[in-house]
């Protein structure tokens, strides 16, 4: 029964003696490393000399491998993330390794260690793809001609790109406090804030044209702002995301055509 379980396990399993000799491996471990059982057993511990890196890309020395650490310290090594090159495919394989030392009755030093290896390469690929996607969107937002921002539920800015500072003439500190409200043109302020409060209360779309006064030059600029709600999987509003476009030049062009 246990032999069948050992052979059928999705987890890789390796048994290694205190002198480094590998006494048994299951098919999953062979699949993870990309070698046959015969070659595995013939390596007699030389597995620790393979190129194995941690999750920071540092190459592990022989004495740092989980089985050796567990044997030397007599304590389990838990969830050690490692990356190995599959000898058959040449691809990198990510594993989470647990090494558990085994003791004979009355002895204080382990005579054997068994390792379990969980292959989570597929999850690492998803993680990398998400990171790559995140980097693409970050680059897109940072280089957008429009100002882009995200707020919490109350409307307080928690993220915005550099373009928002450029359009409004406000510093990052001012944009996270009351600077935005103070920069709205006095003739437009009451209307803008009234529509904003209704938007926050009703969770409806917000869009409006209004004038802003640059705090340091007192120049008047026209902007168009549009905001939508961010919702979680249950439809609960968790924040807001919006954009701001500078309409000043187009407004000047409209006036010139009149």
């Amino acid at each position: 029964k246990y032999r069948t379980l050992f052979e059928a396990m999705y987890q890789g399993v390796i048994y290694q003696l205190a002198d480094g000799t590998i006494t048994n491996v299951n098919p999953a471990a062979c699949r993870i490393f990309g070698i046959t059982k015969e070659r595995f057993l013939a390596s007699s511990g030389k597995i620790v000399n393979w190129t194995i890196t941690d999750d920071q890309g540092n190459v592990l020395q022989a004495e740092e491998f989980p089985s050796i650490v567990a044997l030397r310290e007599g304590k389990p090594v838990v969830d050690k993330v490692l990356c190995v090159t599959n000898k058959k495919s040449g691809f990198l394989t990510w594993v989470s390794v647990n090494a558990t030392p085994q003791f004979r009755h009355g002895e204080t030093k382990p005579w054997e260690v068994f390792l379990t290896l969980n292959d989570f390469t597929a999850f690492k690929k998803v993680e990398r793809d998400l990171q790559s996607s995140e980097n693409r969107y970050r680059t897109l937002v940072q280089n957008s001609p429009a100002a882009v921002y995200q707020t919490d539920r109350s409307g307080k800015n928690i993220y915005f790109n550099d373009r928002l500072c450029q359009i409004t003439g406000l510093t990052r500190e001012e944009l996270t406090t009351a600077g935005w409200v103070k920069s709205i043109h006095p003739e437009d302020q009451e209307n803008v804030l009234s529509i904003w409060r209704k938007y926050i209360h009703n969770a409806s779309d917000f869009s409006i044209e209004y004038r802003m006064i640059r705090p340091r030059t007192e120049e008047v600029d026209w902007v168009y702002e549009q905001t939508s709600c961010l919702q979680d999987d249950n439809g609960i509003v968790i924040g807001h995301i919006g954009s701001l476009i500078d309409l000043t030049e187009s407004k000047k062009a409209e006036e010139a055509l009149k």
Side-chain angles (χ1 to χ4, degrees), residues 127-151:
E127 184 181 77
R128 287 197 305 270
D129 290 345
L130 288 173
Q131 184 62 52
S132 176
S133 177
E134 175 69 17
N135 290 337
R136 287 197 299 271
Y137 281 114
R138 183 183 295 111
T139 300
L140 178 64
V141 168
Q142 285 296 341
N143 293 281
S144 171
V148 179
Y149 62 86
Q150 181 180 342
T151 77

Side-chain angles (χ1 to χ4, degrees), residues 2 33 69 79 81 136 171 173 178 208-209 237 255:
Y2 294 110
F33 284 92
V69 173
D79 294 333
V81 174
R136 287 197 299 271
T171 66
E173 183 179 357
I208 189 173
E209 289 184 10
V237 175
E255 288 296 322

Side-chain angles (χ1 to χ4, degrees), residues 145 163 166-167 209-212 214 219-224 245-258:
R163 184 62 176 150
Q166 295 167 5
I167 291 178
E209 289 184 10
Y210 60 93
R211 290 166 292 177
M212 298 191 74
R214 290 179 173 267
E219 293 177 273
V220 177
D221 292 332
W222 278 93
V223 297
Y224 172 72
I245 299 173
D246 189 347
L247 298 179
T248 306
E249 293 303 319
S250 62
K251 285 290 185 181
K252 289 179 179 178
E254 287 178 12
E255 288 296 322
L257 292 173
K258 290 183 180 179

Side-chain angles (χ1 to χ4, degrees), residues 5-253:
L5 178 62
F6 177 77
E7 296 291 336
M9 285 177 65
Y10 176 77
Q11 289 179 312
V13 179
I14 302 172
Y15 284 89
Q16 189 172 11
L17 298 179
D19 64 3
T21 302
I22 296 174
T23 58
N24 206 356
V25 295
N26 71 345
C30 296
R31 183 184 69 249
I32 289 171
F33 284 92
I35 64 173
T36 63
K37 182 175 182 177
E38 290 72 24
R39 185 180 172 191
F40 227 129
L41 297 178
S43 68
S44 296
K46 293 180 182 179
I47 179 175
V48 296
N49 294 321
W50 293 359
T51 301
I52 299 174
T53 61
D54 61 18
D55 55 351
Q56 302 300 315
N58 302 310
V59 177
L60 265 66
Q61 301 302 312
E63 63 272 14
E64 298 176 303
F65 197 71
S67 61
I68 303 303
V69 173
L71 286 167
R72 181 176 65 247
E73 299 182 0
K75 298 178 181 179
V77 175
V78 180
D79 294 333
K80 177 69 174 179
V81 174
L82 300 177
C83 182
V84 301
T85 301
N86 185 285
K87 297 294 184 179
K88 185 176 182 180
S89 68
F91 295 135
L92 297 179
T93 301
W94 287 92
V95 292
S96 175
V97 181
N98 290 281
T100 305
Q102 302 297 296
F103 298 86
R104 290 192 176 99
H105 182 69
E107 296 183 356
T108 58
K109 290 186 178 182
W111 69 279
E112 183 185 50
V113 61
F114 76 85
L115 298 95
T116 58
L117 306 94
N118 290 293
D119 184 348
F120 66 101
T121 307
F123 294 100
K124 268 290 184 182
K125 182 179 184 305
V126 171
E127 184 181 77
R128 287 197 305 270
D129 290 345
L130 288 173
Q131 184 62 52
S132 176
S133 177
E134 175 69 17
N135 290 337
R136 287 197 299 271
Y137 281 114
R138 183 183 295 111
T139 300
L140 178 64
V141 168
Q142 285 296 341
N143 293 281
S144 171
V148 179
Y149 62 86
Q150 181 180 342
T151 77
D152 60 17
R153 289 182 62 185
S154 68
K156 181 180 179 181
N157 277 324
I158 57 176
Y159 170 81
F160 47 85
N161 62 357
D162 293 338
R163 184 62 176 150
L164 188 60
C165 296
Q166 295 167 5
I167 291 178
T168 62
L170 299 170
T171 66
R172 286 189 165 271
E173 183 179 357
E174 289 169 333
L175 284 166
T176 54
T177 55
W180 170 72
V181 174
K182 293 178 181 178
S183 69
I184 300 173
H185 194 286
E187 295 178 6
D188 297 340
Q189 191 174 105
E190 183 179 348
N191 183 46
V192 172
L193 294 180
S194 175
I195 294 174
W196 176 258
R197 282 192 289 267
K198 288 179 182 178
Y199 159 72
I200 293 292
H201 183 266
N202 298 324
S204 56
D205 288 339
F206 171 85
S207 60
I208 189 173
E209 289 184 10
Y210 60 93
R211 290 166 292 177
M212 298 191 74
I213 300 178
R214 290 179 173 267
R216 289 153 188 83
T217 64
E218 296 190 351
E219 293 177 273
V220 177
D221 292 332
W222 278 93
V223 297
Y224 172 72
E225 185 172 3
Q226 187 173 24
T227 309
S228 299
C229 294
L230 284 173
Q231 299 178 331
D232 64 14
D233 293 339
N234 298 315
I236 298 174
V237 175
I238 57 175
H240 313 275
I241 188 166
S243 61
L244 196 76
I245 299 173
D246 189 347
L247 298 179
T248 306
E249 293 303 319
S250 62
K251 285 290 185 181
K252 289 179 179 178

